[in-house]
Amino acid sequence: MLVILKKNSSTPPFLLVLPKWVIVKWNISTSESSPPSPIMDLETGISQNHVKRESWKTVLTLAYQSLGVVYGDLSTSPLYVYKSTFADDIQHSETNEEIYGVLSFVFWTLTLIPLLKYVFIVLKADDNGEGGTFALYSLLCRHARVNSLPNCQVADEELYEYKKDAAATCLTPKTTFGSRLKSTLEKHRVLQRFLLLLALIGTCMVIGDGVLTPALSVFSAVSGLELSMSREHHKYVEVPVACIILIGLFALQHYGTHRIGFLFAPVVLMWLLCISAIGIYNIIHWNPHVYQALSPYYMYKFLRKTQRGGWMSLGGILLCITGSEAMFADLGHFSQLSIQIAFTSLVYPSLILAYMGQAAYLSQHHAIDSDYRIGFYVSVPDKLRWPVLVIAILAAVVGSQAIITGTFSIIKQCSALSCFPRVKIVHTSSKIHGQIYIPEINWTLMLLCLAVTVGFRDTKRMGNASGLAVITVMLVTTCLMSLVIVLCWHKNVFFAICFVCFFGTIEALYFSASLIKFLEGAWVPVALSFIFLIVMCVWHYGTLKTYEFDVQNKVSINWLLSLGPSLGIVRVRGIGLIHTELVSGIPAIFSHFVTNLPAFHQVLVFLCIKSVPVPHVRAKERFLIGYIGPREYRLYRCIVRYGYRDVHKDDMEFEKDLVCSIAEFIRSGNHEPNGAKDDLESEDGKMTVVGTCCTHTDGIQLREDDVDNIESAGTSELREIRSPPVIQPRKRVRFRVPDSPKINRGAREELQELVEAREAGIAYILGHSYVRAKQGSSMLKKLVINYGYGFLRRNSRAPASTLSAPHASTLQVGMVYHV
């Protein structure tokens, strides 16, 4: 019933009073609307209308904050580098050639890898502000079309993140070799799979480092107790204390780092100032001429004297760059300039002074009772030993926290790109982007970390294990960077070859020195990475086969049209959300459902939630919405796009955004109003980009209230027709529709039906597939699908958890997939 409320105004508002007290309101005005206010993306915390301009104050603040998040692991490396280097392979002699050679190697390794490679080159290869192994892979996916995601669309390339790449650089390589390389990658699936495998290997090694780094850092910090008690008592105290600290560290993860994160930067800053001050003291007091050892000539003398033992000791020297990859991996939380300033102005000088100070002390102390006297704490003055021990333990905890958080983040990225089983992701902070907690991964890391600590009980084997994981990730980054230089930066292939040859040779030397110690602890990251790699490959393969089955068995649109507007079934009040992985066509689950239960909701939405190979999708580009069949069928397809670092909203916010976006799609009229059948549902059917509620402030806004009694509209001239009273409270849904006199009668009726359906409630219909290998499959495929993929599906989170769908509104439809 349409009721017109008249006022003494030339622009009367129209108020449509719907049954069940559902109100759709049009404010028709001839005055110019006020300019929209800047839009804040509530999911990413990024202002979309604001151009990011960092002042020096902001840059310096970010540089200070990066100390606690990025450099905790790298800053604690002086605790164990010399101790691991002089463990077995070389001996500290009175000629000092060994200690000077090690110092020279440490200096040039820190200068060439973290400073030159990462700070000045790799940091520039960010994926729209994000860094890490998957960021490089995502960058290559967009420039060479080697995306492993099955449900990618041409419309995804119209996203702002894609266009930002195109605005900065042409997506087509300018060089002849770059064009041939791009064409070769796009043609050969084997090369695409190898590229994905390379990215997964780097990711698995990062996860392995998440196990080894906390154990090594905390154990090395606690080892300072060895100078305060006898050797016999020390071995019974060191391991239990380290285990207690590690258990406490992992037990506090569910609170989120934002609660104690403000302490991280001061702790690392205090630690850096402490080790640099001790280093300066040792240089002045013991050996002011130790700076001469920075000459590369001492590396030559070191290798000439030690030969094979010196080469094997490179596995301990390698530990001085542990944590360098964090500069790139945590780029999304800071900026390039802030990370560069923090490293060049504070971290790098402090580490060099610390290593020089230790070398200066050791160069004057050759009477060493046992190898543990080579460690960090022996060079600390006696009066400062206990305060330094406390600061070292705190710094080790901060460094461990950084790698644990990074492990959570990279597993989330893998899960978003269908390379890891679904896990529960808890966002511990509503204000700080990227602060997440994954319970299953947290407790798995803790058990593995305790096993490494109790099993090895010394920094030598822990260092061998950690070193191999670190250098493998760096080698993967070097390989991917060479492709980025050619395909994304469009540089001559000569630059890529120089990059690979220079840095690849250095890293290959360290890699060989670490791999030779396979039986002395280096097998741990290989075993862990192999297990995680098998899990990722099995999950990715099973997911692809499941999607291929969906595509091959999707229902024809002609079958749907033959059913008529009622679809041959009873249409009940409410909205039915049918979750599917398909971006086109009708999933087999729909026909399976209506065949066995011939009733469905009056409004049906085929919902596809997918990830795209960009870090973030702006809120105004979140939804792709279109019709399936004529509009009187009330069938919609909604594709929700997220970046691999985006935060998924909870169920209530998501439902509100979804309904509001469909209403905005209906109002905007960017579709065929007559529902012509020639352009209804093709493989590339017409879809409209619609943002979330917060982005179209000048469009339809949704308001929902739980009410027992409907109050009057505030005027005596409004005539009302009351619905029959109900006992239970109902939800009142109101759309505020902007000035738009072009809304036709059909659109008004469609909006009215949508609001009625929303008031009745939303039901989630999810497919629960039982995946089995089809007859005639090889034994390996049966083993992977029936047992491997089946086991992972049974022990991972259900799609309902991914959707955050309320259990009371969820209906699962079982089907057997023979892939």
Side-chain angles (χ1 to χ4, degrees), residues 408 411-412 415-416 420-426 436-441 539 795-798 801-802:
F408 291 160
I411 287 179
K412 176 182 179 294
S415 181
F420 199 85
R422 290 182 294 265
V423 290
K424 181 180 181 180
I425 298 176
V426 180
I436 60 174
Y437 165 68
I438 305 177
E440 298 96 327
I441 301 300
W539 182 263
N795 292 277
S796 63
R797 295 281 168 172
S801 300
T802 307

Side-chain angles (χ1 to χ4, degrees), residues 41 80 109 159 252 318 328 386 493 553 646 687 749 794:
D41 187 347
Y80 43 78
T109 304
L159 290 169
L252 293 175
L318 165 66
F328 185 46
W386 280 104
V493 66
N553 293 273
D646 274 333
M687 306 284 286
E749 293 176 353
R794 288 192 300 270

Side-chain angles (χ1 to χ4, degrees), residues 145 147 149-160 162-163 171 583 610 612 624 639 641 683-685 687 689:
R145 297 180 185 273
N147 185 16
L149 296 175
N151 54 359
C152 53
Q153 299 170 278
V154 178
D156 296 338
E157 299 181 9
E158 298 298 319
L159 290 169
Y160 173 75
Y162 272 91
K163 290 186 175 181
L171 291 179
V583 294
K610 71 172 191 174
V612 291
L624 272 176
I639 300 173
R641 301 176 293 185
E683 289 299 321
D684 296 312
M687 306 284 286
V689 178

Side-chain angles (χ1 to χ4, degrees), residues 250-489:
F250 284 99
L252 293 175
Q253 291 299 311
H254 70 281
Y255 290 108
T257 57
H258 67 283
R259 299 184 186 274
I260 55 175
F262 67 94
L263 292 175
F264 285 2
V267 167
V268 176
L269 178 61
M270 188 184 306
W271 168 252
L272 289 172
L273 295 177
C274 178
I275 61 175
S276 58
I278 294 174
I280 293 174
Y281 168 79
N282 286 329
I283 293 171
I284 296 174
H285 189 264
W286 297 110
N287 190 353
H289 301 288
V290 73
Y291 68 88
Q292 297 176 355
L294 302 182
S295 170
Y297 175 69
Y298 283 89
M299 291 192 292
Y300 167 73
K301 292 180 64 177
F302 171 76
L303 292 176
R304 184 180 63 181
K305 180 179 180 180
T306 57
Q307 297 182 2
R308 187 176 186 273
W311 167 63
M312 294 181 65
S313 69
L314 294 179
I317 298 173
L318 165 66
L319 297 177
C320 70
I321 54 175
T322 302
S324 299
E325 188 73 20
M327 284 191 288
F328 185 46
D330 294 327
L331 182 60
H333 299 286
F334 304 97
S335 63
Q336 290 183 23
L337 186 58
S338 63
I339 290 179
Q340 291 169 343
I341 289 176
F343 184 79
T344 55
S345 63
L346 182 60
V347 179
Y348 177 75
S350 299
L351 290 175
I352 298 299
L353 289 173
Y355 288 117
M356 289 177 64
Q358 290 187 61
Y361 177 87
L362 293 174
S363 66
Q364 302 299 320
H365 295 78
H366 304 95
I368 299 175
D369 299 332
S370 58
D371 62 344
Y372 79 98
R373 299 289 297 182
I374 291 283
F376 167 79
Y377 289 101
V378 72
S379 63
V380 178
D382 295 339
K383 295 181 180 179
L384 298 178
R385 208 159 272 170
W386 280 104
V388 171
L389 174 65
V390 174
I391 299 174
I393 293 176
L394 292 176
V397 169
V398 170
S400 303
Q401 176 63 58
I403 192 65
I404 293 170
T405 304
T407 304
F408 291 160
S409 178
I410 202 166
I411 287 179
K412 176 182 179 294
Q413 296 176 25
C414 293
S415 181
L417 297 177
S418 301
C419 294
F420 199 85
R422 290 182 294 265
V423 290
K424 181 180 181 180
I425 298 176
V426 180
H427 297 277
T428 58
S429 174
S430 59
K431 297 179 180 179
I432 303 176
H433 170 68
Q435 295 292 337
I436 60 174
Y437 165 68
I438 305 177
E440 298 96 327
I441 301 300
N442 181 69
W443 302 122
T444 301
L445 289 179
M446 187 191 75
L447 293 177
L448 292 174
C449 200
L450 292 175
V452 168
T453 304
V454 176
F456 285 161
R457 302 181 190 177
D458 63 67
T459 57
K460 173 192 169 184
R461 287 180 290 179
M462 290 184 192
N464 294 338
S466 181
L468 184 60
V470 168
I471 200 62
T472 305
V473 177
M474 292 183 176
L475 276 171
V476 170
T477 301
T478 300
C479 295
L480 295 178
M481 269 299 302
S482 63
L483 295 176
V484 169
I485 291 173
V486 176
L487 296 177
C488 306
W489 292 355

Side-chain angles (χ1 to χ4, degrees), residues 422 579 609 651 764-768 796-807 809-812:
R422 290 182 294 265
H579 182 250
I609 299 179
D651 55 323
Y764 290 82
I765 295 90
L766 308 175
H768 187 76
S796 63
R797 295 281 168 172
S801 300
T802 307
L803 275 172
S804 298
H807 294 288
S809 305
T810 302
L811 176 65
Q812 290 192 346

Side-chain angles (χ1 to χ4, degrees), residues 631-801:
R631 63 190 305 171
E632 59 266 19
Y633 279 41
R634 302 299 187 255
L635 297 180
Y636 306 92
R637 179 179 307 287
C638 180
I639 300 173
V640 189
R641 301 176 293 185
Y642 286 98
Y644 57 81
R645 288 187 67 94
D646 274 333
V647 177
H648 292 218
K649 288 189 174 182
D650 57 30
D651 55 323
M652 296 306 297
E653 284 293 322
F654 177 77
E655 289 179 5
K656 180 180 177 181
D657 277 343
L658 178 64
V659 175
C660 192
S661 299
I662 294 176
E664 179 64 19
F665 165 75
I666 297 170
R667 182 198 70 87
S668 63
N670 295 329
H671 43 267
E672 294 292 336
N674 54 4
K677 295 183 182 181
D678 56 349
D679 188 28
L680 290 177
E681 180 69 15
S682 62
E683 289 299 321
D684 296 312
K686 184 176 181 181
M687 306 284 286
T688 302
V689 178
V690 184
T692 57
C693 291
C694 63
T695 61
H696 44 77
T697 54
D698 56 343
I700 287 184
Q701 296 295 313
L702 177 67
R703 181 178 177 184
E704 299 177 346
D705 301 302
D706 292 320
V707 293
D708 295 314
N709 300 306
I710 303 300
E711 299 179 358
S712 173
T715 173
S716 58
E717 298 184 43
L718 178 62
R719 299 180 181 180
E720 301 175 344
I721 299 179
R722 295 183 178 274
S723 300
V726 293
I727 299 176
Q728 295 181 347
R730 294 161 295 161
K731 181 183 291 293
R732 182 176 66 180
V733 181
R734 291 184 292 174
F735 281 141
R736 184 182 65 79
V737 184
D739 307 339
S740 182
K742 297 182 181 180
I743 297 181
N744 55 35
R745 181 181 181 85
R748 295 188 182 191
E749 293 176 353
E750 194 172 354
L751 283 172
Q752 173 181 343
E753 192 165 347
L754 177 65
V755 177
E756 289 178 347
R758 176 65 187 98
E759 186 187 44
I762 294 180
Y764 290 82
I765 295 90
L766 308 175
H768 187 76
S769 56
Y770 298 87
V771 184
R772 309 290 295 177
K774 61 184 178 182
Q775 292 184 352
S777 300
S778 64
M779 184 63 66
L780 179 61
K781 183 176 180 180
K782 289 181 179 179
L783 182 65
V784 170
I785 295 296
N786 295 349
Y787 297 99
Y789 186 63
F791 174 79
L792 293 177
R793 281 177 62 91
R794 288 192 300 270
N795 292 277
S796 63
R797 295 281 168 172
S801 300

Side-chain angles (χ1 to χ4, degrees), residues 3 201 270 281 329 418 558 819:
V3 181
I201 290 174
M270 188 184 306
Y281 168 79
S418 301
N558 295 325
V819 300

